[in-house]
Structures are given as structure tokens and as C-alpha cells.
Amino acid sequence: MKNDIRNISSDALKSWLISHGEKPFRAKQIMHWLWKQPVQDFDEMTNLSKPLRHALKSDFVLSQLHLVTTQNSSDGTVKTGFRLSDNEFIEGVLIPSKERVTACISTQVGCRMGCKFCATAGLGFHRNLSAGEIYLQVWHLNQIAEEHYKTGLSNIVIMGMGEPLDNYSAVTTAVQFLTGDEGLGMSHRRITLSTAGVADKIKQMADDGIKIKLSLSLHAVNDKLRSQIMPINNKHTIQVLAESLQYYHGKTNHRISYEYVLLKNINDQEIHARELAEFTKITPCKINLIEYNPVSGLGFEKSTEESTQRFMKFLEGRNLIVKLRRSRGADVDAACGQLANKFRNK
Ligand code: SAH
């Protein structure tokens, strides 16, 4: 099978050019067509000679991503569906607010984490996205944002379908182009990666100097409960996670964000708030309480408004920085944990 040209480095591209009797500066032109002004076909690389385009075509393929559905929520959220070259399907979401336009992007087709409350888990795992596919998703969402809201993306949250740290190399390569001059040139500080807690990869992010923000989907702070709702906890236990977060903070000095989805009568009682306050002492942090978006058949309900307020007050009383994230886009199944390719076959 031919390699996707977006999987190779600029240096590898230069060597390829030299071995084909071409000047290495052509790599810069090609990189432009791959990342800055992405094309779907080598023939669109108009400043390259025909023989060079032909040679590229015979050795490489171009990752493809076709926008096939857009659904507009009554709150302004836009859910998009993209078809990939092997007919797999992924979803991305645009979330506008007063001062931002945020893109929520996918990193895998399906997911293998198996979180009990999440719709994506029901798809099982199909495959990883390539760096090119992750990047193109953002590029398309940026175009749609320009059309819809007359402004490009201000923020990216890597919180769509899939577990980003289970696809580490493609995700970090995509981030390199999202932030680099060759690509979209966004600031690292405006990109957040959310993980179910792949502890060794959290450490690797720190070691590799990946500067984007880190958010951990915590949802429970004792091993018994967390393992029940998030099977990854059987391997990456609370203790293992705590160590990786301390290591990450020690190396990067970044504050950790926690996501905590409030599930009625499961993790929303005072005892849980107390455990959470205790746990989060390990590093400077911020806590995002998330309203649960019910997924039919999974048997979880969102917390009552009263329990939610009580939970939040308890944490605030411990001087923690807490935000309540209200659900967005739920009427088109675009909210957290609702991305499940429902429109795939439409
Ligand atoms: N795999 C990554 C990113 C994708 S999920 C992770 O686990 O962090 C993004 C966030 O949505 C996670 O915090 C996840 O636990 C949460 N989530 C999943 N299903 C949800 C639902 N139905 N309602 C609200 N949040 C949900």
C-alpha cells in the first residue's frame, strides 16, 4: 500500500525529491499544498511540473476527508460528519460562544476505552486517524467557522470520538502542524487534549515537550467506582494516574484540568465531592463539572440541579476553581459523549 504523503517528514520528502532528480526546495512547495492550502489531488499542486506530480502520484496517496453532513443545533452548535477514504466516518463539532469558536475534534474511528456512560464506546474500535486526517478535520471546521460565524477557530478541544493518547504519534504530529507556521499557526495555549487517563502517555507528553493543555476525565476518585464506569482504571489506577499528573506538572508547570461528569446517584454525593477535593490537592488545577448527556440504553441519568449546585458549592468551599459546563448541541446529538455516527448511513 502507498504511504500517505502527510505521514512523512519534510526531510524525508527532500530525500525523496533528490532521489528523483528534483531540487530539495520543492519540498517547501509540496508542504504548502499539504498543510497550508490542502489539496485533494496531486494535480492541484500547480507550481510543480507534470512529471513530478506523476512521480508523487505513483509513490504516495493524499489523505482525504469529505464533509458529508452538517446539522445545526438551536444553540448555534454545528455538528459535522466526514467520510474518510476507506468509507469510515467521523464527527466533529463547532461550538460558538460570545468570545470564541471552538472545534471539538475526533482522533479515532470509535474508541477502545469502553467508558460505560459514553455513546462512542458503543461503536467499538475501528481504527486510528492519521495525522493528515486529524489536521484536515480542523482545517475544514475552520472553513465552516469562517462561513457560519465570519471568524476562524479560536480554540480546539481534542475531545471528540476516540482516545487521543491511544493514537499518540498521529495526534502529536497533527498538533505540530496545527501550531506550526507550515500549517494553521494556532497557539498551543488554545488547544486542549482530553484523556481518559493513559498514564504513561501523560508522562510522555511532558518528556516530549508537547505544550498544549491537558485535561483528565476523572469522573470518580476511588478505584472501585472509577473502574466500574471507566474500565481503563483497572490498569491505570488512581494512584498511577496521580503519579503521572505530578510528573507532568513537575516538568511542564502546567495546571491540570479535570473533567467530572455528574451522574445521578453514582458520583454526585458529598462523599464524592470530598474525595475529589482531597485528590485534586496533588497539583494546581481547575475542575470542570460536566452536565451528563443521557445516552439511551446506557442506564445513566444526569444529576438534579440541586445535587449539581451542592457539589459545586462544596468544591468552591474548599477554594477550588470550579466551572459548570452546560451541555451544548444536545438536540443534534453533538454534545459530549453523544458522537456515535448515527447519520452514517443516511
Ligand atoms: N477519550 C477522551 C476524549 C473524548 S470524551 C476522554 O475520555 O477524555 C470527552 C469527554 O466527554 C470526557 O470527559 C468524557 O468522559 C465525557 N463524556 C463521555 N460521555 C459523556 C456524556 N454522555 N455526557 C457528558 N460527558 C460525556
Side-chain angles (χ1 to χ4, degrees), residues 269-328:
Q269 305 300 305
E270 186 174 318
I271 162 102
H272 304 115
R274 196 181 296 278
E275 284 174 343
L276 181 57
E278 199 52 41
F279 176 84
T280 51
K281 276 184 194 159
I282 57 170
T283 67
C285 73
K286 177 175 134 190
I287 300 171
N288 290 313
L289 297 178
I290 303 176
E291 261 187 336
Y292 181 60
N293 301 300
V295 178
S296 73
L298 297 187
F300 293 93
E301 287 174 71
K302 74 182 243 189
S303 289
T304 60
E305 190 60 29
E306 194 196 341
S307 313
T308 303
Q309 292 301 333
R310 231 188 297 127
F311 202 91
M312 191 153 127
K313 293 255 154 57
F314 183 92
L315 297 173
E316 283 169 348
R318 299 290 172 104
N319 290 325
L320 287 157
I321 306 169
V322 192
K323 284 232 168 79
L324 177 61
R325 298 269 180 233
R326 297 282 182 188
S327 175
R328 298 285 307 270

Short mmCIF file of all heavy atoms in Angstrom, two decimals, residues 269-328:
data_model
loop_
_atom_site.label_atom_id
_atom_site.label_comp_id
_atom_site.label_asym_id
_atom_site.label_seq_id
_atom_site.Cartn_x
_atom_site.Cartn_y
_atom_site.Cartn_z
N GLN A 269 -22.59 12.64 45.12
CA GLN A 269 -22.90 12.88 46.53
C GLN A 269 -21.74 13.60 47.24
O GLN A 269 -20.64 13.69 46.69
CB GLN A 269 -23.19 11.54 47.23
CG GLN A 269 -24.28 10.73 46.56
CD GLN A 269 -25.62 11.48 46.53
OE1 GLN A 269 -26.11 11.90 47.58
NE2 GLN A 269 -26.19 11.67 45.34
N GLU A 270 -22.02 14.06 48.46
CA GLU A 270 -20.98 14.83 49.17
C GLU A 270 -19.69 14.04 49.37
O GLU A 270 -18.60 14.59 49.25
CB GLU A 270 -21.52 15.32 50.52
CG GLU A 270 -20.49 16.23 51.18
CD GLU A 270 -20.99 16.88 52.45
OE1 GLU A 270 -22.15 17.31 52.48
OE2 GLU A 270 -20.20 16.94 53.42
N ILE A 271 -19.83 12.77 49.65
CA ILE A 271 -18.63 11.94 49.84
C ILE A 271 -17.72 12.00 48.60
O ILE A 271 -16.49 12.05 48.71
CB ILE A 271 -19.03 10.47 50.18
CG1 ILE A 271 -17.87 9.46 49.96
CG2 ILE A 271 -20.17 9.94 49.35
CD1 ILE A 271 -17.22 9.06 51.21
N HIS A 272 -18.35 12.04 47.42
CA HIS A 272 -17.56 12.10 46.19
C HIS A 272 -16.89 13.46 46.02
O HIS A 272 -15.75 13.55 45.57
CB HIS A 272 -18.45 11.79 44.98
CG HIS A 272 -19.16 10.47 45.10
ND1 HIS A 272 -20.53 10.36 45.20
CD2 HIS A 272 -18.68 9.21 45.19
CE1 HIS A 272 -20.86 9.08 45.32
NE2 HIS A 272 -19.76 8.36 45.32
N ALA A 273 -17.62 14.50 46.39
CA ALA A 273 -17.04 15.85 46.31
C ALA A 273 -15.84 15.94 47.26
O ALA A 273 -14.81 16.55 46.94
CB ALA A 273 -18.09 16.89 46.65
N ARG A 274 -16.00 15.32 48.43
CA ARG A 274 -14.93 15.33 49.42
C ARG A 274 -13.69 14.61 48.88
O ARG A 274 -12.56 15.11 48.95
CB ARG A 274 -15.44 14.62 50.69
CG ARG A 274 -14.64 14.85 51.94
CD ARG A 274 -15.25 14.08 53.11
NE ARG A 274 -16.60 14.53 53.46
CZ ARG A 274 -16.85 15.60 54.22
NH1 ARG A 274 -15.87 16.30 54.72
NH2 ARG A 274 -18.09 15.95 54.48
N GLU A 275 -13.92 13.45 48.28
CA GLU A 275 -12.80 12.68 47.69
C GLU A 275 -12.12 13.48 46.57
O GLU A 275 -10.90 13.49 46.45
CB GLU A 275 -13.33 11.37 47.06
CG GLU A 275 -13.67 10.29 48.05
CD GLU A 275 -14.33 9.07 47.36
OE1 GLU A 275 -14.82 9.18 46.21
OE2 GLU A 275 -14.37 8.01 48.00
N LEU A 276 -12.94 14.15 45.79
CA LEU A 276 -12.41 14.93 44.66
C LEU A 276 -11.54 16.08 45.18
O LEU A 276 -10.43 16.32 44.67
CB LEU A 276 -13.58 15.45 43.81
CG LEU A 276 -13.26 16.28 42.57
CD1 LEU A 276 -12.36 15.51 41.61
CD2 LEU A 276 -14.55 16.69 41.83
N ALA A 277 -12.04 16.77 46.20
CA ALA A 277 -11.29 17.89 46.77
C ALA A 277 -9.95 17.39 47.32
O ALA A 277 -8.91 18.05 47.18
CB ALA A 277 -12.10 18.57 47.86
N GLU A 278 -9.98 16.23 47.93
CA GLU A 278 -8.76 15.65 48.51
C GLU A 278 -7.76 15.31 47.39
O GLU A 278 -6.61 15.70 47.43
CB GLU A 278 -9.17 14.39 49.29
CG GLU A 278 -8.19 13.89 50.31
CD GLU A 278 -7.74 14.97 51.29
OE1 GLU A 278 -8.56 15.80 51.75
OE2 GLU A 278 -6.53 15.00 51.55
N PHE A 279 -8.26 14.60 46.38
CA PHE A 279 -7.39 14.13 45.29
C PHE A 279 -6.73 15.29 44.56
O PHE A 279 -5.54 15.26 44.25
CB PHE A 279 -8.20 13.29 44.29
CG PHE A 279 -7.40 12.85 43.08
CD1 PHE A 279 -6.60 11.72 43.14
CD2 PHE A 279 -7.43 13.58 41.90
CE1 PHE A 279 -5.84 11.32 42.04
CE2 PHE A 279 -6.67 13.19 40.79
CZ PHE A 279 -5.88 12.07 40.87
N THR A 280 -7.52 16.32 44.27
CA THR A 280 -7.01 17.37 43.39
C THR A 280 -5.98 18.28 44.07
O THR A 280 -5.44 19.18 43.43
CB THR A 280 -8.17 18.21 42.82
OG1 THR A 280 -9.00 18.64 43.90
CG2 THR A 280 -9.01 17.40 41.84
N LYS A 281 -5.68 17.97 45.33
CA LYS A 281 -4.61 18.73 46.00
C LYS A 281 -3.24 18.43 45.40
O LYS A 281 -2.28 19.16 45.65
CB LYS A 281 -4.55 18.31 47.48
CG LYS A 281 -5.52 19.02 48.38
CD LYS A 281 -5.26 18.58 49.80
CE LYS A 281 -6.38 18.95 50.73
NZ LYS A 281 -6.37 18.11 51.94
N ILE A 282 -3.12 17.34 44.65
CA ILE A 282 -1.79 16.90 44.20
C ILE A 282 -1.06 17.92 43.33
O ILE A 282 0.16 17.97 43.33
CB ILE A 282 -1.82 15.52 43.48
CG1 ILE A 282 -2.78 15.56 42.28
CG2 ILE A 282 -2.17 14.38 44.44
CD1 ILE A 282 -2.69 14.32 41.39
N THR A 283 -1.80 18.73 42.57
CA THR A 283 -1.16 19.76 41.75
C THR A 283 -2.13 20.94 41.64
O THR A 283 -3.32 20.77 41.89
CB THR A 283 -0.89 19.30 40.29
OG1 THR A 283 -2.16 19.14 39.64
CG2 THR A 283 -0.09 18.03 40.18
N PRO A 284 -1.67 22.11 41.21
CA PRO A 284 -2.62 23.19 40.91
C PRO A 284 -3.57 22.72 39.82
O PRO A 284 -3.13 22.01 38.89
CB PRO A 284 -1.72 24.32 40.39
CG PRO A 284 -0.36 24.00 40.90
CD PRO A 284 -0.28 22.51 41.01
N CYS A 285 -4.83 23.08 39.92
CA CYS A 285 -5.79 22.53 38.96
C CYS A 285 -7.03 23.39 38.81
O CYS A 285 -7.22 24.37 39.53
CB CYS A 285 -6.21 21.13 39.39
SG CYS A 285 -7.32 21.15 40.81
N LYS A 286 -7.86 22.96 37.89
CA LYS A 286 -9.16 23.57 37.67
C LYS A 286 -10.13 22.41 37.45
O LYS A 286 -9.75 21.41 36.83
CB LYS A 286 -9.04 24.41 36.41
CG LYS A 286 -10.27 25.06 35.94
CD LYS A 286 -9.90 25.94 34.75
CE LYS A 286 -10.89 25.72 33.65
NZ LYS A 286 -10.51 26.33 32.40
N ILE A 287 -11.35 22.52 37.96
CA ILE A 287 -12.30 21.41 37.80
C ILE A 287 -13.46 21.85 36.93
O ILE A 287 -14.10 22.86 37.19
CB ILE A 287 -12.82 20.96 39.18
CG1 ILE A 287 -11.66 20.49 40.05
CG2 ILE A 287 -13.86 19.84 39.03
CD1 ILE A 287 -12.02 20.22 41.50
N ASN A 288 -13.71 21.10 35.86
CA ASN A 288 -14.88 21.34 35.03
C ASN A 288 -15.93 20.29 35.34
O ASN A 288 -15.73 19.11 35.04
CB ASN A 288 -14.51 21.25 33.55
CG ASN A 288 -13.65 22.41 33.11
OD1 ASN A 288 -13.95 23.58 33.41
ND2 ASN A 288 -12.56 22.12 32.41
N LEU A 289 -17.01 20.72 35.97
CA LEU A 289 -18.13 19.80 36.20
C LEU A 289 -18.94 19.76 34.91
O LEU A 289 -19.25 20.81 34.34
CB LEU A 289 -18.99 20.27 37.36
CG LEU A 289 -18.27 20.33 38.72
CD1 LEU A 289 -19.22 20.88 39.78
CD2 LEU A 289 -17.75 18.94 39.12
N ILE A 290 -19.26 18.57 34.46
CA ILE A 290 -19.95 18.44 33.18
C ILE A 290 -21.35 17.88 33.39
O ILE A 290 -21.52 16.89 34.10
CB ILE A 290 -19.17 17.51 32.22
CG1 ILE A 290 -17.74 18.03 32.04
CG2 ILE A 290 -19.86 17.39 30.88
CD1 ILE A 290 -16.87 17.14 31.20
N GLU A 291 -22.31 18.54 32.75
CA GLU A 291 -23.68 18.01 32.77
C GLU A 291 -23.71 16.75 31.93
O GLU A 291 -23.24 16.77 30.79
CB GLU A 291 -24.60 19.02 32.09
CG GLU A 291 -25.35 19.89 33.02
CD GLU A 291 -26.37 20.75 32.25
OE1 GLU A 291 -26.22 21.00 31.04
OE2 GLU A 291 -27.31 21.16 32.88
N TYR A 292 -24.28 15.69 32.46
CA TYR A 292 -24.34 14.45 31.69
C TYR A 292 -25.39 14.55 30.59
O TYR A 292 -26.49 15.05 30.81
CB TYR A 292 -24.67 13.27 32.61
CG TYR A 292 -24.71 11.96 31.85
CD1 TYR A 292 -23.58 11.50 31.19
CD2 TYR A 292 -25.87 11.19 31.80
CE1 TYR A 292 -23.60 10.31 30.47
CE2 TYR A 292 -25.90 9.99 31.09
CZ TYR A 292 -24.76 9.56 30.43
OH TYR A 292 -24.79 8.38 29.72
N ASN A 293 -25.02 14.08 29.40
CA ASN A 293 -25.96 14.00 28.29
C ASN A 293 -26.42 12.56 28.18
O ASN A 293 -25.63 11.71 27.77
CB ASN A 293 -25.29 14.41 26.99
CG ASN A 293 -24.75 15.82 27.08
OD1 ASN A 293 -25.50 16.76 27.29
ND2 ASN A 293 -23.44 15.95 26.97
N PRO A 294 -27.64 12.29 28.55
CA PRO A 294 -28.08 10.90 28.59
C PRO A 294 -27.97 10.21 27.23
O PRO A 294 -28.25 10.81 26.19
CB PRO A 294 -29.55 11.00 29.01
CG PRO A 294 -29.65 12.32 29.69
CD PRO A 294 -28.68 13.22 29.00
N VAL A 295 -27.51 8.98 27.25
CA VAL A 295 -27.39 8.16 26.04
C VAL A 295 -28.36 7.00 26.24
O VAL A 295 -28.27 6.31 27.25
CB VAL A 295 -25.95 7.62 25.88
CG1 VAL A 295 -25.84 6.74 24.65
CG2 VAL A 295 -24.94 8.77 25.82
N SER A 296 -29.27 6.81 25.28
CA SER A 296 -30.33 5.84 25.54
C SER A 296 -29.75 4.43 25.64
O SER A 296 -28.82 4.07 24.93
CB SER A 296 -31.44 5.92 24.49
OG SER A 296 -30.97 5.37 23.30
N GLY A 297 -30.28 3.68 26.61
CA GLY A 297 -29.86 2.30 26.79
C GLY A 297 -28.69 2.11 27.73
O GLY A 297 -28.38 0.99 28.12
N LEU A 298 -28.02 3.20 28.13
CA LEU A 298 -26.84 3.01 28.98
C LEU A 298 -27.17 3.05 30.47
O LEU A 298 -26.37 2.64 31.31
CB LEU A 298 -25.76 4.05 28.66
CG LEU A 298 -25.19 3.98 27.24
CD1 LEU A 298 -24.00 4.93 27.07
CD2 LEU A 298 -24.75 2.56 26.88
N GLY A 299 -28.35 3.57 30.80
CA GLY A 299 -28.80 3.49 32.19
C GLY A 299 -28.26 4.56 33.13
O GLY A 299 -28.32 4.38 34.35
N PHE A 300 -27.71 5.64 32.60
CA PHE A 300 -27.25 6.73 33.47
C PHE A 300 -28.14 7.95 33.29
O PHE A 300 -28.67 8.19 32.21
CB PHE A 300 -25.81 7.13 33.13
CG PHE A 300 -24.81 6.06 33.44
CD1 PHE A 300 -24.43 5.14 32.46
CD2 PHE A 300 -24.24 5.96 34.70
CE1 PHE A 300 -23.51 4.14 32.73
CE2 PHE A 300 -23.31 4.96 34.99
CZ PHE A 300 -22.94 4.05 34.00
N GLU A 301 -28.28 8.70 34.38
CA GLU A 301 -29.08 9.93 34.31
C GLU A 301 -28.23 11.10 34.74
O GLU A 301 -27.27 10.93 35.50
CB GLU A 301 -30.26 9.84 35.27
CG GLU A 301 -31.37 8.91 34.83
CD GLU A 301 -32.40 8.80 35.94
OE1 GLU A 301 -33.13 9.79 36.17
OE2 GLU A 301 -32.44 7.74 36.59
N LYS A 302 -28.64 12.29 34.31
CA LYS A 302 -27.89 13.47 34.78
C LYS A 302 -28.32 13.82 36.19
O LYS A 302 -29.47 13.56 36.59
CB LYS A 302 -28.03 14.64 33.81
CG LYS A 302 -29.35 15.35 33.82
CD LYS A 302 -29.31 16.45 32.77
CE LYS A 302 -29.45 17.81 33.43
NZ LYS A 302 -29.62 18.89 32.46
N SER A 303 -27.41 14.42 36.94
CA SER A 303 -27.71 14.82 38.32
C SER A 303 -28.79 15.88 38.33
O SER A 303 -28.91 16.66 37.39
CB SER A 303 -26.48 15.43 38.96
OG SER A 303 -25.55 14.45 39.20
N THR A 304 -29.51 15.95 39.42
CA THR A 304 -30.51 17.01 39.56
C THR A 304 -29.78 18.34 39.70
O THR A 304 -28.60 18.39 40.06
CB THR A 304 -31.35 16.80 40.83
OG1 THR A 304 -30.45 16.83 41.95
CG2 THR A 304 -32.11 15.49 40.80
N GLU A 305 -30.50 19.42 39.44
CA GLU A 305 -29.92 20.75 39.57
C GLU A 305 -29.46 20.98 41.01
O GLU A 305 -28.39 21.54 41.26
CB GLU A 305 -30.97 21.80 39.15
CG GLU A 305 -30.43 23.21 39.01
CD GLU A 305 -29.31 23.37 37.98
OE1 GLU A 305 -29.27 22.61 36.98
OE2 GLU A 305 -28.44 24.24 38.19
N GLU A 306 -30.25 20.47 41.93
CA GLU A 306 -29.92 20.65 43.35
C GLU A 306 -28.60 19.94 43.72
O GLU A 306 -27.72 20.54 44.33
CB GLU A 306 -31.08 20.09 44.19
CG GLU A 306 -31.05 20.51 45.63
CD GLU A 306 -31.97 19.63 46.48
OE1 GLU A 306 -32.88 18.96 45.92
OE2 GLU A 306 -31.76 19.61 47.71
N SER A 307 -28.45 18.69 43.32
CA SER A 307 -27.20 17.98 43.62
C SER A 307 -26.02 18.65 42.93
O SER A 307 -24.92 18.74 43.48
CB SER A 307 -27.21 16.53 43.12
OG SER A 307 -28.37 15.89 43.45
N THR A 308 -26.25 19.11 41.70
CA THR A 308 -25.18 19.76 40.95
C THR A 308 -24.69 21.00 41.70
O THR A 308 -23.48 21.20 41.90
CB THR A 308 -25.69 20.16 39.54
OG1 THR A 308 -26.17 18.98 38.90
CG2 THR A 308 -24.59 20.80 38.71
N GLN A 309 -25.66 21.83 42.14
CA GLN A 309 -25.29 23.06 42.86
C GLN A 309 -24.58 22.73 44.17
O GLN A 309 -23.61 23.38 44.54
CB GLN A 309 -26.54 23.92 43.13
CG GLN A 309 -27.17 24.51 41.87
CD GLN A 309 -26.20 25.39 41.07
OE1 GLN A 309 -25.27 25.99 41.60
NE2 GLN A 309 -26.40 25.45 39.75
N ARG A 310 -25.08 21.70 44.87
CA ARG A 310 -24.46 21.32 46.15
C ARG A 310 -23.02 20.87 45.93
O ARG A 310 -22.11 21.22 46.68
CB ARG A 310 -25.29 20.20 46.81
CG ARG A 310 -25.64 20.54 48.25
CD ARG A 310 -26.28 19.38 49.01
NE ARG A 310 -27.55 18.97 48.44
CZ ARG A 310 -27.84 17.70 48.09
NH1 ARG A 310 -26.96 16.74 48.24
NH2 ARG A 310 -29.02 17.41 47.59
N PHE A 311 -22.83 20.07 44.91
CA PHE A 311 -21.50 19.53 44.58
C PHE A 311 -20.53 20.68 44.31
O PHE A 311 -19.42 20.74 44.81
CB PHE A 311 -21.62 18.62 43.36
CG PHE A 311 -20.52 17.62 43.21
CD1 PHE A 311 -20.64 16.35 43.76
CD2 PHE A 311 -19.36 17.93 42.50
CE1 PHE A 311 -19.62 15.41 43.61
CE2 PHE A 311 -18.34 17.00 42.36
CZ PHE A 311 -18.47 15.74 42.91
N MET A 312 -21.03 21.63 43.51
CA MET A 312 -20.20 22.76 43.12
C MET A 312 -19.84 23.63 44.32
O MET A 312 -18.69 24.02 44.50
CB MET A 312 -20.96 23.56 42.08
CG MET A 312 -20.13 24.58 41.41
SD MET A 312 -20.80 24.90 39.78
CE MET A 312 -20.93 26.63 39.93
N LYS A 313 -20.85 23.91 45.14
CA LYS A 313 -20.62 24.73 46.35
C LYS A 313 -19.59 24.09 47.26
O LYS A 313 -18.74 24.77 47.83
CB LYS A 313 -21.94 24.91 47.13
CG LYS A 313 -22.97 25.72 46.41
CD LYS A 313 -23.11 27.14 46.99
CE LYS A 313 -23.61 28.12 45.95
NZ LYS A 313 -24.91 27.72 45.35
N PHE A 314 -19.68 22.76 47.42
CA PHE A 314 -18.75 22.07 48.29
C PHE A 314 -17.31 22.32 47.83
O PHE A 314 -16.43 22.65 48.62
CB PHE A 314 -19.03 20.56 48.31
CG PHE A 314 -18.15 19.81 49.26
CD1 PHE A 314 -18.55 19.56 50.57
CD2 PHE A 314 -16.88 19.38 48.86
CE1 PHE A 314 -17.70 18.91 51.46
CE2 PHE A 314 -16.03 18.73 49.74
CZ PHE A 314 -16.45 18.49 51.05
N LEU A 315 -17.09 22.18 46.53
CA LEU A 315 -15.73 22.35 46.00
C LEU A 315 -15.27 23.80 46.13
O LEU A 315 -14.13 24.08 46.48
CB LEU A 315 -15.67 21.90 44.54
CG LEU A 315 -15.97 20.42 44.29
CD1 LEU A 315 -16.05 20.13 42.80
CD2 LEU A 315 -14.91 19.52 44.93
N GLU A 316 -16.19 24.71 45.84
CA GLU A 316 -15.84 26.14 45.97
C GLU A 316 -15.48 26.46 47.41
O GLU A 316 -14.56 27.25 47.67
CB GLU A 316 -17.00 27.01 45.49
CG GLU A 316 -17.08 27.08 43.99
CD GLU A 316 -18.37 27.72 43.46
OE1 GLU A 316 -19.32 27.93 44.26
OE2 GLU A 316 -18.42 27.99 42.25
N GLY A 317 -16.17 25.80 48.32
CA GLY A 317 -15.88 25.98 49.75
C GLY A 317 -14.48 25.52 50.11
O GLY A 317 -13.94 25.90 51.15
N ARG A 318 -13.91 24.67 49.30
CA ARG A 318 -12.52 24.22 49.51
C ARG A 318 -11.54 25.05 48.69
O ARG A 318 -10.42 24.61 48.41
CB ARG A 318 -12.37 22.74 49.13
CG ARG A 318 -13.24 21.79 49.92
CD ARG A 318 -12.74 21.72 51.34
NE ARG A 318 -13.64 20.97 52.18
CZ ARG A 318 -13.43 19.72 52.59
NH1 ARG A 318 -12.35 19.09 52.22
NH2 ARG A 318 -14.29 19.15 53.39
N ASN A 319 -12.00 26.19 48.23
CA ASN A 319 -11.17 27.10 47.44
C ASN A 319 -10.65 26.52 46.14
O ASN A 319 -9.55 26.86 45.68
CB ASN A 319 -9.98 27.61 48.26
CG ASN A 319 -10.45 28.56 49.33
OD1 ASN A 319 -11.40 29.31 49.11
ND2 ASN A 319 -9.82 28.49 50.50
N LEU A 320 -11.42 25.64 45.55
CA LEU A 320 -11.02 25.10 44.25
C LEU A 320 -11.64 25.93 43.13
O LEU A 320 -12.70 26.55 43.31
CB LEU A 320 -11.49 23.65 44.14
CG LEU A 320 -10.67 22.68 45.00
CD1 LEU A 320 -11.46 21.42 45.31
CD2 LEU A 320 -9.36 22.34 44.30
N ILE A 321 -10.97 25.96 41.99
CA ILE A 321 -11.53 26.67 40.83
C ILE A 321 -12.46 25.69 40.12
O ILE A 321 -12.01 24.65 39.62
CB ILE A 321 -10.42 27.13 39.86
CG1 ILE A 321 -9.38 27.95 40.61
CG2 ILE A 321 -11.00 27.91 38.69
CD1 ILE A 321 -8.12 28.21 39.79
N VAL A 322 -13.75 26.02 40.11
CA VAL A 322 -14.74 25.09 39.56
C VAL A 322 -15.61 25.80 38.53
O VAL A 322 -16.05 26.93 38.75
CB VAL A 322 -15.70 24.59 40.67
CG1 VAL A 322 -16.53 23.42 40.15
CG2 VAL A 322 -14.95 24.19 41.90
N LYS A 323 -15.83 25.14 37.40
CA LYS A 323 -16.76 25.68 36.39
C LYS A 323 -17.79 24.62 36.07
O LYS A 323 -17.45 23.44 36.01
CB LYS A 323 -16.00 26.00 35.09
CG LYS A 323 -15.18 27.26 35.17
CD LYS A 323 -15.52 28.17 33.98
CE LYS A 323 -14.96 29.57 34.16
NZ LYS A 323 -13.52 29.63 33.84
N LEU A 324 -19.02 25.04 35.85
CA LEU A 324 -20.05 24.09 35.42
C LEU A 324 -20.20 24.23 33.92
O LEU A 324 -20.51 25.31 33.42
CB LEU A 324 -21.37 24.40 36.14
CG LEU A 324 -22.55 23.53 35.74
CD1 LEU A 324 -22.29 22.06 36.04
CD2 LEU A 324 -23.82 23.98 36.48
N ARG A 325 -19.96 23.14 33.21
CA ARG A 325 -20.09 23.15 31.75
C ARG A 325 -21.46 22.64 31.38
O ARG A 325 -21.76 21.46 31.52
CB ARG A 325 -19.03 22.23 31.11
CG ARG A 325 -17.62 22.69 31.39
CD ARG A 325 -17.13 23.62 30.31
NE ARG A 325 -15.76 24.04 30.60
CZ ARG A 325 -15.38 25.30 30.65
NH1 ARG A 325 -16.24 26.27 30.48
NH2 ARG A 325 -14.12 25.59 30.90
N ARG A 326 -22.29 23.58 30.91
CA ARG A 326 -23.62 23.19 30.48
C ARG A 326 -23.53 22.49 29.14
O ARG A 326 -22.67 22.80 28.32
CB ARG A 326 -24.52 24.43 30.34
CG ARG A 326 -24.73 25.18 31.64
CD ARG A 326 -25.75 24.47 32.50
NE ARG A 326 -26.00 25.22 33.74
CZ ARG A 326 -26.73 24.74 34.73
NH1 ARG A 326 -27.27 23.54 34.66
NH2 ARG A 326 -26.93 25.47 35.82
N SER A 327 -24.46 21.60 28.93
CA SER A 327 -24.48 20.83 27.70
C SER A 327 -24.77 21.73 26.50
O SER A 327 -25.59 22.63 26.57
CB SER A 327 -25.57 19.79 27.85
OG SER A 327 -25.72 19.10 26.68
N ARG A 328 -24.08 21.50 25.38
CA ARG A 328 -24.33 22.26 24.15
C ARG A 328 -24.63 21.27 23.02
O ARG A 328 -24.03 20.21 22.94
CB ARG A 328 -23.09 23.07 23.75
CG ARG A 328 -22.64 24.12 24.76
CD ARG A 328 -23.53 25.35 24.76
NE ARG A 328 -23.71 25.96 23.47
CZ ARG A 328 -22.93 26.93 22.96
NH1 ARG A 328 -21.91 27.38 23.64
NH2 ARG A 328 -23.19 27.45 21.78
#
